[in-house]
Amino acid sequence: MTLLVLKLLLAHFIGDFVLQPARWVADKLQKKGRSKYLYFHIGVHLLALLLILQFRYLGAVACIVVTHLLIDLGKIYLTNPKNYRWLFVVDQALHLLVIAAIVYWIEPFPLDLSGLWGEKSLLLATFLVFVTFVSGIIMRMLLAPYIDEIAKEDESGEGGSLKNAGTYIGMLERLFVFGFILIQQWAAIGLLIAAKSVFRFGDLNKGKNRKLTEYVLIGTLLSFGLAILSGMLFIHLSESM
């Protein structure tokens, strides 16, 4: 089963990413179903599947190609500047679901979803939500007295920040710290702190804004502290189950 999954995934990655130039994508979005590149794209998928599967499972190949065409048609007709990112995720998820269904059809495998609702799974899900979303809200509440003051002083400065960049950076750094603790790689946390310090030092030094520097330092320590405590608590609770 694993070999079949790898073959189908490789064919999908080659067809959807490696051998699909940006101009093909642009043409498909402009001309929709009339784009010749849509059918070139499907042809590439067909050829990749046939070669990688060595002309076996022709029925499965036909199903994958037809569903790929239908999914891509739905995507290009629904895409607009506001939803293209989410549609990309939905598009890829549907392709992977088709691959999973084909694998199950050819080589049936047991589906046991009971483990998703086990204690350890729910414990992990709870801590992941806490580390990403809940921690961010807690930090905003704790740093609220400083936010307005920093914003006023920043109005006169040059440049700006990407929308929600700070939120995503915080989520990612806490997830990294949480993961490093689970695999007992404390040194990697120090490396992450050092890397963030290097990237932030230039901006803070250039701005010569002591309040902003202190604000960033407090936020960083809070973020890493919450992630470290979460990781340690998760390990303690999971070991006691």
Side-chain angles (χ1 to χ4, degrees), residues 70-114:
L70 295 175
I71 292 169
D72 278 15
L73 280 171
K75 177 188 174 185
I76 61 179
Y77 276 103
L78 293 173
T79 295
N80 60 55
K82 294 183 178 179
N83 67 7
Y84 72 96
R85 286 177 295 183
W86 289 109
L87 275 181
F88 171 79
V89 175
V90 173
D91 170 75
Q92 293 301 314
L94 289 174
H95 291 317
L96 294 178
L97 282 175
V98 170
I99 289 175
I102 293 297
V103 172
Y104 186 78
W105 174 32
I106 297 174
E107 299 181 9
F109 52 89
L111 291 173
D112 184 11
L113 302 179
S114 60

Short mmCIF file of all heavy atoms in Angstrom, two decimals, residues 70-114:
data_model
loop_
_atom_site.label_atom_id
_atom_site.label_comp_id
_atom_site.label_asym_id
_atom_site.label_seq_id
_atom_site.Cartn_x
_atom_site.Cartn_y
_atom_site.Cartn_z
N LEU A 70 -12.42 17.59 -13.38
CA LEU A 70 -13.63 18.18 -12.79
C LEU A 70 -13.29 19.12 -11.63
O LEU A 70 -13.86 20.21 -11.51
CB LEU A 70 -14.58 17.08 -12.32
CG LEU A 70 -15.17 16.19 -13.43
CD1 LEU A 70 -15.99 15.06 -12.83
CD2 LEU A 70 -16.01 17.02 -14.39
N ILE A 71 -12.35 18.69 -10.78
CA ILE A 71 -11.95 19.52 -9.64
C ILE A 71 -11.30 20.81 -10.13
O ILE A 71 -11.58 21.91 -9.62
CB ILE A 71 -10.99 18.74 -8.71
CG1 ILE A 71 -11.74 17.60 -8.02
CG2 ILE A 71 -10.38 19.67 -7.66
CD1 ILE A 71 -10.83 16.63 -7.29
N ASP A 72 -10.43 20.70 -11.14
CA ASP A 72 -9.77 21.89 -11.67
C ASP A 72 -10.75 22.83 -12.33
O ASP A 72 -10.63 24.06 -12.22
CB ASP A 72 -8.68 21.48 -12.66
CG ASP A 72 -7.38 21.09 -11.97
OD1 ASP A 72 -7.42 20.87 -10.74
OD2 ASP A 72 -6.34 20.99 -12.64
N LEU A 73 -11.75 22.29 -13.04
CA LEU A 73 -12.76 23.13 -13.66
C LEU A 73 -13.55 23.90 -12.60
O LEU A 73 -13.80 25.10 -12.73
CB LEU A 73 -13.72 22.28 -14.50
CG LEU A 73 -13.23 21.88 -15.90
CD1 LEU A 73 -14.18 20.86 -16.51
CD2 LEU A 73 -13.13 23.13 -16.78
N GLY A 74 -13.93 23.19 -11.53
CA GLY A 74 -14.63 23.87 -10.44
C GLY A 74 -13.80 24.97 -9.82
O GLY A 74 -14.30 26.06 -9.53
N LYS A 75 -12.51 24.69 -9.65
CA LYS A 75 -11.62 25.68 -9.04
C LYS A 75 -11.48 26.93 -9.89
O LYS A 75 -11.61 28.05 -9.40
CB LYS A 75 -10.25 25.06 -8.80
CG LYS A 75 -9.22 26.02 -8.22
CD LYS A 75 -7.84 25.41 -8.19
CE LYS A 75 -6.79 26.43 -7.76
NZ LYS A 75 -5.43 25.88 -7.82
N ILE A 76 -11.23 26.77 -11.20
CA ILE A 76 -10.98 27.95 -12.03
C ILE A 76 -12.24 28.78 -12.25
O ILE A 76 -12.16 30.00 -12.46
CB ILE A 76 -10.34 27.55 -13.39
CG1 ILE A 76 -11.26 26.63 -14.19
CG2 ILE A 76 -8.99 26.90 -13.17
CD1 ILE A 76 -10.69 26.23 -15.54
N TYR A 77 -13.42 28.15 -12.18
CA TYR A 77 -14.65 28.93 -12.34
C TYR A 77 -15.05 29.63 -11.05
O TYR A 77 -15.77 30.63 -11.08
CB TYR A 77 -15.79 28.03 -12.82
CG TYR A 77 -15.81 27.82 -14.31
CD1 TYR A 77 -15.34 26.64 -14.88
CD2 TYR A 77 -16.27 28.82 -15.17
CE1 TYR A 77 -15.33 26.46 -16.25
CE2 TYR A 77 -16.27 28.65 -16.55
CZ TYR A 77 -15.80 27.46 -17.09
OH TYR A 77 -15.79 27.29 -18.45
N LEU A 78 -14.60 29.13 -9.92
CA LEU A 78 -14.97 29.74 -8.63
C LEU A 78 -13.92 30.72 -8.11
O LEU A 78 -14.20 31.51 -7.21
CB LEU A 78 -15.18 28.64 -7.58
CG LEU A 78 -16.38 27.71 -7.80
CD1 LEU A 78 -16.36 26.59 -6.77
CD2 LEU A 78 -17.69 28.49 -7.72
N THR A 79 -12.72 30.68 -8.66
CA THR A 79 -11.62 31.49 -8.13
C THR A 79 -11.84 32.98 -8.36
O THR A 79 -12.24 33.40 -9.44
CB THR A 79 -10.28 31.07 -8.79
OG1 THR A 79 -9.98 29.73 -8.42
CG2 THR A 79 -9.14 31.98 -8.31
N ASN A 80 -11.58 33.76 -7.31
CA ASN A 80 -11.56 35.22 -7.41
C ASN A 80 -10.46 35.73 -6.50
O ASN A 80 -9.88 34.96 -5.73
CB ASN A 80 -12.93 35.83 -7.06
CG ASN A 80 -13.36 35.50 -5.65
OD1 ASN A 80 -12.65 35.76 -4.68
ND2 ASN A 80 -14.55 34.90 -5.50
N PRO A 81 -10.12 37.03 -6.58
CA PRO A 81 -9.00 37.55 -5.78
C PRO A 81 -9.14 37.34 -4.27
O PRO A 81 -8.14 37.37 -3.55
CB PRO A 81 -8.99 39.05 -6.13
CG PRO A 81 -9.60 39.11 -7.49
CD PRO A 81 -10.65 38.06 -7.50
N LYS A 82 -10.34 37.14 -3.78
CA LYS A 82 -10.55 37.00 -2.34
C LYS A 82 -10.42 35.57 -1.84
O LYS A 82 -10.09 35.35 -0.68
CB LYS A 82 -11.92 37.57 -1.95
CG LYS A 82 -12.06 39.07 -2.16
CD LYS A 82 -13.42 39.55 -1.69
CE LYS A 82 -13.55 41.06 -1.86
NZ LYS A 82 -14.88 41.56 -1.42
N ASN A 83 -10.73 34.61 -2.70
CA ASN A 83 -10.80 33.23 -2.19
C ASN A 83 -9.78 32.29 -2.79
O ASN A 83 -9.81 31.09 -2.54
CB ASN A 83 -12.21 32.66 -2.44
CG ASN A 83 -12.50 32.46 -3.92
OD1 ASN A 83 -11.64 32.61 -4.78
ND2 ASN A 83 -13.73 32.12 -4.23
N TYR A 84 -8.84 32.82 -3.62
CA TYR A 84 -7.95 31.91 -4.34
C TYR A 84 -7.07 31.06 -3.42
O TYR A 84 -6.75 29.91 -3.73
CB TYR A 84 -7.09 32.68 -5.34
CG TYR A 84 -6.00 33.53 -4.73
CD1 TYR A 84 -4.70 33.06 -4.62
CD2 TYR A 84 -6.27 34.82 -4.27
CE1 TYR A 84 -3.70 33.84 -4.06
CE2 TYR A 84 -5.28 35.60 -3.71
CZ TYR A 84 -4.00 35.11 -3.61
OH TYR A 84 -3.01 35.88 -3.03
N ARG A 85 -6.68 31.62 -2.26
CA ARG A 85 -5.84 30.85 -1.34
C ARG A 85 -6.60 29.69 -0.72
O ARG A 85 -6.10 28.57 -0.62
CB ARG A 85 -5.26 31.76 -0.26
CG ARG A 85 -4.15 32.67 -0.76
CD ARG A 85 -3.66 33.60 0.31
NE ARG A 85 -4.71 34.55 0.73
CZ ARG A 85 -4.53 35.51 1.61
NH1 ARG A 85 -3.37 35.65 2.22
NH2 ARG A 85 -5.51 36.34 1.92
N TRP A 86 -7.85 29.97 -0.30
CA TRP A 86 -8.65 28.91 0.30
C TRP A 86 -9.02 27.86 -0.73
O TRP A 86 -9.06 26.65 -0.44
CB TRP A 86 -9.91 29.49 0.95
CG TRP A 86 -9.62 30.27 2.18
CD1 TRP A 86 -9.68 31.63 2.35
CD2 TRP A 86 -9.19 29.74 3.43
NE1 TRP A 86 -9.32 31.98 3.62
CE2 TRP A 86 -9.00 30.84 4.31
CE3 TRP A 86 -8.92 28.46 3.91
CZ2 TRP A 86 -8.58 30.69 5.63
CZ3 TRP A 86 -8.50 28.30 5.23
CH2 TRP A 86 -8.34 29.42 6.06
N LEU A 87 -9.30 28.29 -1.96
CA LEU A 87 -9.64 27.34 -3.00
C LEU A 87 -8.46 26.45 -3.36
O LEU A 87 -8.63 25.29 -3.72
CB LEU A 87 -10.13 28.08 -4.25
CG LEU A 87 -11.62 28.45 -4.27
CD1 LEU A 87 -11.98 29.15 -5.57
CD2 LEU A 87 -12.50 27.23 -4.07
N PHE A 88 -7.26 26.99 -3.25
CA PHE A 88 -6.07 26.17 -3.49
C PHE A 88 -6.02 25.03 -2.47
O PHE A 88 -5.75 23.88 -2.82
CB PHE A 88 -4.81 27.02 -3.40
CG PHE A 88 -3.53 26.22 -3.41
CD1 PHE A 88 -3.02 25.72 -4.60
CD2 PHE A 88 -2.85 25.94 -2.23
CE1 PHE A 88 -1.86 24.96 -4.62
CE2 PHE A 88 -1.69 25.18 -2.24
CZ PHE A 88 -1.19 24.69 -3.44
N VAL A 89 -6.28 25.36 -1.19
CA VAL A 89 -6.26 24.34 -0.13
C VAL A 89 -7.35 23.30 -0.39
O VAL A 89 -7.12 22.08 -0.29
CB VAL A 89 -6.46 24.99 1.25
CG1 VAL A 89 -6.57 23.93 2.34
CG2 VAL A 89 -5.30 25.94 1.55
N VAL A 90 -8.57 23.77 -0.73
CA VAL A 90 -9.68 22.85 -1.00
C VAL A 90 -9.36 21.97 -2.20
O VAL A 90 -9.61 20.76 -2.19
CB VAL A 90 -10.98 23.64 -1.23
CG1 VAL A 90 -12.10 22.71 -1.69
CG2 VAL A 90 -11.39 24.37 0.04
N ASP A 91 -8.80 22.59 -3.23
CA ASP A 91 -8.43 21.86 -4.45
C ASP A 91 -7.46 20.72 -4.14
O ASP A 91 -7.67 19.57 -4.55
CB ASP A 91 -7.81 22.85 -5.44
CG ASP A 91 -7.17 22.17 -6.64
OD1 ASP A 91 -7.91 21.70 -7.51
OD2 ASP A 91 -5.92 22.12 -6.69
N GLN A 92 -6.40 21.02 -3.40
CA GLN A 92 -5.41 20.00 -3.06
C GLN A 92 -6.00 18.93 -2.14
O GLN A 92 -5.69 17.74 -2.28
CB GLN A 92 -4.18 20.64 -2.42
CG GLN A 92 -3.37 21.52 -3.36
CD GLN A 92 -2.88 20.76 -4.57
OE1 GLN A 92 -2.35 19.65 -4.45
NE2 GLN A 92 -3.04 21.35 -5.75
N ALA A 93 -6.85 19.34 -1.22
CA ALA A 93 -7.49 18.38 -0.31
C ALA A 93 -8.36 17.40 -1.09
O ALA A 93 -8.36 16.19 -0.81
CB ALA A 93 -8.32 19.11 0.74
N LEU A 94 -9.10 17.90 -2.08
CA LEU A 94 -9.95 17.02 -2.88
C LEU A 94 -9.11 16.04 -3.70
O LEU A 94 -9.47 14.85 -3.82
CB LEU A 94 -10.84 17.86 -3.81
CG LEU A 94 -11.95 18.65 -3.11
CD1 LEU A 94 -12.67 19.56 -4.11
CD2 LEU A 94 -12.95 17.71 -2.45
N HIS A 95 -8.01 16.52 -4.27
CA HIS A 95 -7.13 15.63 -5.03
C HIS A 95 -6.58 14.52 -4.13
O HIS A 95 -6.52 13.34 -4.53
CB HIS A 95 -5.97 16.41 -5.64
CG HIS A 95 -6.38 17.33 -6.74
ND1 HIS A 95 -7.28 16.99 -7.72
CD2 HIS A 95 -5.99 18.62 -7.03
CE1 HIS A 95 -7.44 18.00 -8.56
NE2 HIS A 95 -6.67 18.99 -8.16
N LEU A 96 -6.19 14.88 -2.92
CA LEU A 96 -5.64 13.88 -1.99
C LEU A 96 -6.72 12.91 -1.53
O LEU A 96 -6.43 11.71 -1.34
CB LEU A 96 -5.01 14.59 -0.79
CG LEU A 96 -3.77 15.43 -1.10
CD1 LEU A 96 -3.26 16.12 0.17
CD2 LEU A 96 -2.65 14.57 -1.70
N LEU A 97 -7.95 13.38 -1.37
CA LEU A 97 -9.05 12.48 -1.01
C LEU A 97 -9.31 11.47 -2.13
O LEU A 97 -9.59 10.30 -1.86
CB LEU A 97 -10.32 13.29 -0.73
CG LEU A 97 -10.39 13.97 0.63
CD1 LEU A 97 -11.64 14.84 0.72
CD2 LEU A 97 -10.40 12.94 1.75
N VAL A 98 -9.22 11.93 -3.37
CA VAL A 98 -9.39 11.02 -4.50
C VAL A 98 -8.29 9.95 -4.48
O VAL A 98 -8.57 8.76 -4.67
CB VAL A 98 -9.36 11.80 -5.83
CG1 VAL A 98 -9.28 10.83 -7.02
CG2 VAL A 98 -10.60 12.67 -5.96
N ILE A 99 -7.05 10.38 -4.24
CA ILE A 99 -5.94 9.43 -4.17
C ILE A 99 -6.18 8.41 -3.06
O ILE A 99 -5.96 7.21 -3.24
CB ILE A 99 -4.61 10.18 -3.96
CG1 ILE A 99 -4.23 10.94 -5.24
CG2 ILE A 99 -3.49 9.22 -3.57
CD1 ILE A 99 -3.00 11.81 -5.09
N ALA A 100 -6.63 8.90 -1.89
CA ALA A 100 -6.91 7.99 -0.77
C ALA A 100 -8.00 6.99 -1.14
O ALA A 100 -7.91 5.80 -0.81
CB ALA A 100 -7.31 8.80 0.46
N ALA A 101 -9.04 7.47 -1.83
CA ALA A 101 -10.13 6.57 -2.24
C ALA A 101 -9.64 5.53 -3.24
O ALA A 101 -10.04 4.35 -3.17
CB ALA A 101 -11.26 7.40 -2.84
N ILE A 102 -8.77 5.94 -4.16
CA ILE A 102 -8.23 5.00 -5.15
C ILE A 102 -7.37 3.94 -4.47
O ILE A 102 -7.46 2.75 -4.78
CB ILE A 102 -7.42 5.76 -6.21
CG1 ILE A 102 -8.33 6.66 -7.05
CG2 ILE A 102 -6.65 4.79 -7.09
CD1 ILE A 102 -9.37 5.92 -7.85
N VAL A 103 -6.55 4.37 -3.52
CA VAL A 103 -5.71 3.41 -2.79
C VAL A 103 -6.58 2.42 -2.03
O VAL A 103 -6.32 1.20 -2.03
CB VAL A 103 -4.76 4.16 -1.82
CG1 VAL A 103 -4.03 3.17 -0.91
CG2 VAL A 103 -3.75 4.99 -2.60
N TYR A 104 -7.65 2.92 -1.39
CA TYR A 104 -8.55 2.03 -0.65
C TYR A 104 -9.26 1.05 -1.59
O TYR A 104 -9.52 -0.09 -1.23
CB TYR A 104 -9.59 2.87 0.10
CG TYR A 104 -10.47 2.06 1.01
CD1 TYR A 104 -10.01 1.62 2.25
CD2 TYR A 104 -11.77 1.71 0.63
CE1 TYR A 104 -10.82 0.86 3.09
CE2 TYR A 104 -12.58 0.96 1.45
CZ TYR A 104 -12.10 0.53 2.68
OH TYR A 104 -12.90 -0.22 3.50
N TRP A 105 -9.55 1.52 -2.78
CA TRP A 105 -10.20 0.67 -3.78
C TRP A 105 -9.26 -0.46 -4.24
O TRP A 105 -9.66 -1.62 -4.34
CB TRP A 105 -10.62 1.54 -4.96
CG TRP A 105 -11.19 0.79 -6.14
CD1 TRP A 105 -11.92 -0.38 -6.12
CD2 TRP A 105 -11.05 1.14 -7.53
NE1 TRP A 105 -12.24 -0.76 -7.40
CE2 TRP A 105 -11.73 0.15 -8.29
CE3 TRP A 105 -10.43 2.18 -8.19
CZ2 TRP A 105 -11.80 0.19 -9.67
CZ3 TRP A 105 -10.51 2.24 -9.57
CH2 TRP A 105 -11.18 1.26 -10.30
N ILE A 106 -8.01 -0.12 -4.50
CA ILE A 106 -7.05 -1.11 -5.00
C ILE A 106 -6.53 -2.01 -3.88
O ILE A 106 -6.47 -3.23 -4.02
CB ILE A 106 -5.88 -0.41 -5.71
CG1 ILE A 106 -6.39 0.37 -6.93
CG2 ILE A 106 -4.81 -1.41 -6.13
CD1 ILE A 106 -5.33 1.22 -7.60
N GLU A 107 -6.14 -1.38 -2.78
CA GLU A 107 -5.58 -2.13 -1.65
C GLU A 107 -6.29 -1.67 -0.37
O GLU A 107 -5.79 -0.80 0.34
CB GLU A 107 -4.07 -1.89 -1.54
CG GLU A 107 -3.28 -2.34 -2.76
CD GLU A 107 -1.79 -2.11 -2.60
OE1 GLU A 107 -1.35 -1.76 -1.48
OE2 GLU A 107 -1.06 -2.26 -3.60
N PRO A 108 -7.45 -2.25 -0.07
CA PRO A 108 -8.23 -1.82 1.10
C PRO A 108 -7.40 -1.87 2.39
O PRO A 108 -6.64 -2.82 2.62
CB PRO A 108 -9.38 -2.84 1.16
CG PRO A 108 -9.50 -3.34 -0.24
CD PRO A 108 -8.11 -3.35 -0.80
N PHE A 109 -7.55 -0.82 3.19
CA PHE A 109 -6.83 -0.75 4.46
C PHE A 109 -7.83 -0.43 5.57
O PHE A 109 -8.87 0.19 5.32
CB PHE A 109 -5.73 0.32 4.40
CG PHE A 109 -6.21 1.66 3.93
CD1 PHE A 109 -6.70 2.61 4.83
CD2 PHE A 109 -6.18 1.99 2.58
CE1 PHE A 109 -7.13 3.84 4.39
CE2 PHE A 109 -6.62 3.23 2.13
CZ PHE A 109 -7.10 4.16 3.04
N PRO A 110 -7.56 -0.87 6.79
CA PRO A 110 -8.51 -0.64 7.89
C PRO A 110 -8.60 0.83 8.26
O PRO A 110 -7.60 1.56 8.26
CB PRO A 110 -7.91 -1.46 9.05
CG PRO A 110 -6.46 -1.56 8.73
CD PRO A 110 -6.36 -1.62 7.23
N LEU A 111 -9.82 1.28 8.53
CA LEU A 111 -10.06 2.66 8.95
C LEU A 111 -10.55 2.65 10.39
O LEU A 111 -11.71 2.33 10.66
CB LEU A 111 -11.11 3.33 8.05
CG LEU A 111 -10.68 3.63 6.60
CD1 LEU A 111 -11.88 4.12 5.80
CD2 LEU A 111 -9.58 4.68 6.59
N ASP A 112 -9.67 2.96 11.30
CA ASP A 112 -10.02 3.00 12.72
C ASP A 112 -9.85 4.43 13.23
O ASP A 112 -8.74 4.90 13.47
CB ASP A 112 -9.13 2.05 13.51
CG ASP A 112 -9.52 1.99 14.98
OD1 ASP A 112 -10.61 2.53 15.32
OD2 ASP A 112 -8.76 1.42 15.79
N LEU A 113 -10.98 5.14 13.34
CA LEU A 113 -10.96 6.54 13.76
C LEU A 113 -11.20 6.72 15.26
O LEU A 113 -11.26 7.85 15.75
CB LEU A 113 -12.02 7.33 12.98
CG LEU A 113 -11.89 7.30 11.45
CD1 LEU A 113 -13.02 8.11 10.81
CD2 LEU A 113 -10.53 7.81 11.02
N SER A 114 -11.31 5.61 15.97
CA SER A 114 -11.59 5.71 17.41
C SER A 114 -10.45 6.40 18.15
O SER A 114 -10.66 7.06 19.17
CB SER A 114 -11.84 4.32 17.99
OG SER A 114 -10.71 3.48 17.81
#
